[in-house]
Amino acid sequence: MKIVVCIKQVVDTDDIKWTKNNTIDRDGVESVINPCDMLALETALRIKDIDKSTHITAISMGPLQAQSALKTAIAMGCNEAYLLSDKKFSGSDTVATSKALSSAIKFICPDFDLVICGQFASDGDTAQTGPSIAQKLGVEQITYVTELKPFEIPAFKIVAIRKADELVEVVEAPLPALICVAESPYLPRDIKIDGYITAQNYDVKILSAEQIGLDASCVGIKGSPTWVSRAFRAVNNRENIILKDLEIIDVVKILSSSISEMKGEDFTGGDYERG
């Protein structure tokens, strides 16, 4: 089986810094592999554990420093890694990003069986890139995947367990397909010393927009129909009060009064009985 895993290097959420313009300051800040993408990597590697002939290609888009994330993927057990790094990609939204990644997949591994993405990116949380890649590749997609069920080798379909609100669904899709992993019962595996040695000696392949057949009008700011009008850090300005040892009728009156203030409506009328 040929698997492509799309990963993203993000700013460590425990060390976020902001510029004066309320954008993320990435200079001097530690970067890590997006948590959902780590689950995507583990999902691919578990398939490889079953089918030793599985070939896993890791792809990322970003500055040259993202090579470290791809080297981690190699250390974990991926076979090869590609980085889309070009000034033309700068400022890409999810539309432009999915266009670049899907073009890269067609260029690198046109006969893929499965593409695996993380459901969310911790620095954007839009959950749009994976589904957009599937649409551009013209393949079936399963989102919010938590686990893949065992399959026969060679595989002609996948069966995934996914979360849908309060329900758990079992969904089947023919290959080739794309899945987005949101959760997993399996933690990403520890890297062994042999993996570190392999990654240290591995040269990540760098690809430009031109090499994957895209010009500046398709990617970056020019190819992005969406833009951020304002970014700010959320501030909790609500007062929290803990009230103890109250009768139920008193609790109801307090809550009713609070709701009235928020909605500008009167909820205090009527009689309340103690439960």
Side-chain angles (χ1 to χ4, degrees), residues 131-160:
S132 296
I133 293 173
Q135 188 272 330
K136 290 176 175 61
L137 292 175
V139 298
E140 302 289 343
Q141 60 177 291
I142 306 176
T143 57
Y144 293 92
V145 171
T146 59
E147 189 176 0
L148 292 180
K149 299 193 96 178
F151 54 87
E152 296 180 359
I153 301 172
F156 300 100
K157 65 179 181 180
I158 55 169
V159 180

Side-chain angles (χ1 to χ4, degrees), residues 27 41 49 81-82 108 118 121 128 132 143 159 171 176 198 200-201 211 214 237 240 246 272:
D27 292 337
L41 280 169
D49 291 340
Y82 291 82
I108 297 165
Q128 296 174 348
S132 296
T143 57
V159 180
V171 183
T198 300
Q200 185 177 13
N201 298 323
Q211 286 175 295
L214 296 176
N237 55 9
N240 298 313
L246 295 178
Y272 298 97

Side-chain angles (χ1 to χ4, degrees), residues 132-267:
S132 296
I133 293 173
Q135 188 272 330
K136 290 176 175 61
L137 292 175
V139 298
E140 302 289 343
Q141 60 177 291
I142 306 176
T143 57
Y144 293 92
V145 171
T146 59
E147 189 176 0
L148 292 180
K149 299 193 96 178
F151 54 87
E152 296 180 359
I153 301 172
F156 300 100
K157 65 179 181 180
I158 55 169
V159 180
I161 301 172
R162 71 184 298 269
K163 279 192 173 181
D165 296 325
E166 301 301 320
L167 302 176
V168 175
E169 297 179 338
V170 179
V171 183
E172 180 180 302
L175 297 179
L178 179 146
I179 65 170
C180 295
V181 180
E183 299 177 19
S184 175
Y186 309 107
L187 293 175
R189 62 194 60 197
D190 294 329
I191 300 174
K192 298 180 180 180
I193 186 64
D194 290 347
Y196 283 114
I197 294 173
T198 300
Q200 185 177 13
N201 298 323
Y202 185 84
D203 292 325
V204 174
K205 303 170 183 69
I206 311 297
L207 294 176
S208 66
E210 184 178 0
Q211 286 175 295
I212 59 174
L214 296 176
D215 58 43
S217 64
C218 297
V219 292
I221 295 177
K222 292 182 179 179
S224 300
T226 57
W227 55 282
V228 179
S229 62
R230 187 166 66 103
F232 60 93
R233 188 186 295 275
V235 177
N236 182 8
N237 55 9
R238 295 181 181 178
E239 182 181 3
N240 298 313
I241 302 174
I242 299 177
L243 303 175
K244 297 181 179 180
D245 301 325
L246 295 178
E247 295 287 339
I248 292 179
I249 185 63
D250 297 322
V251 174
V252 171
K253 288 180 178 179
I254 292 171
L255 292 175
S256 299
S257 176
S258 299
I259 294 173
S260 298
E261 291 177 5
M262 288 188 292
K263 294 188 175 182
E265 300 175 6
D266 183 9
F267 286 83

Side-chain angles (χ1 to χ4, degrees), residues 1-7 36-59 73 76-80 114-118 145-148 151 179 181 184 186-189:
M1 178 178 285
K2 294 184 178 181
I3 301 176
V4 177
V5 182
C6 298
I7 66 174
C36 275
D37 296 347
M38 286 294 287
L39 300 180
L41 280 169
E42 179 59 29
T43 300
L45 291 167
R46 291 183 69 84
I47 294 174
K48 188 176 180 180
D49 291 340
I50 299 170
D51 180 6
K52 303 300 182 184
S53 65
T54 296
H55 187 279
I56 304 175
T57 301
I59 300 178
M76 290 177 68
C78 292
N79 298 92
E80 58 179 345
L114 183 63
V115 177
I116 306 180
C117 303
V145 171
T146 59
E147 189 176 0
L148 292 180
F151 54 87
I179 65 170
V181 180
S184 175
Y186 309 107
L187 293 175
R189 62 194 60 197

